[in-house]
Amino acid sequence: MNNRLRVLRAERKWSQQHLAELLEVSRQSVNAIETGRYDPSLPLAFRISDVFDLPIEAIFTNPSKENA
């Protein structure tokens, strides 16, 4: 799953650590999601959506549907 997490975080000038604290996860988890090594659980995806005040679909995309 692709995501815009790094871009959204950078727009707000938040560190990975700050975002991790807002989400109540480790900085390593934020890094793994940003780099695509880890897809968040649905509850975590909803927390990310809430933190950025955006719908999940505006943050996460299905790579197989991006080119359709």
Side-chain angles (χ1 to χ4, degrees):
M1 179 180 328
N2 296 332
N3 68 75
R4 298 180 49 228
L5 198 57
R6 180 174 290 163
V7 171
L8 294 169
R9 181 177 58 76
E11 288 174 353
R12 289 157 180 80
K13 296 182 173 56
W14 291 349
S15 66
Q16 285 183 344
Q17 183 64 42
H18 179 71
L19 179 56
E21 290 168 4
L22 293 173
L23 297 172
E24 299 178 346
V25 299
S26 69
R27 185 201 57 78
Q28 291 85 352
S29 293
V30 170
N31 181 271
I33 295 168
E34 285 186 355
T35 58
R37 289 181 288 130
Y38 171 72
D39 290 334
S41 64
L42 192 54
L44 179 53
F46 275 110
R47 287 201 315 265
I48 293 168
S49 171
D50 289 344
V51 163
F52 287 105
D53 196 27
L54 292 169
I56 289 176
E57 298 85 8
I59 302 170
F60 299 97
T61 58
N62 182 341
S64 65
K65 293 189 177 189
E66 285 183 349
N67 299 322

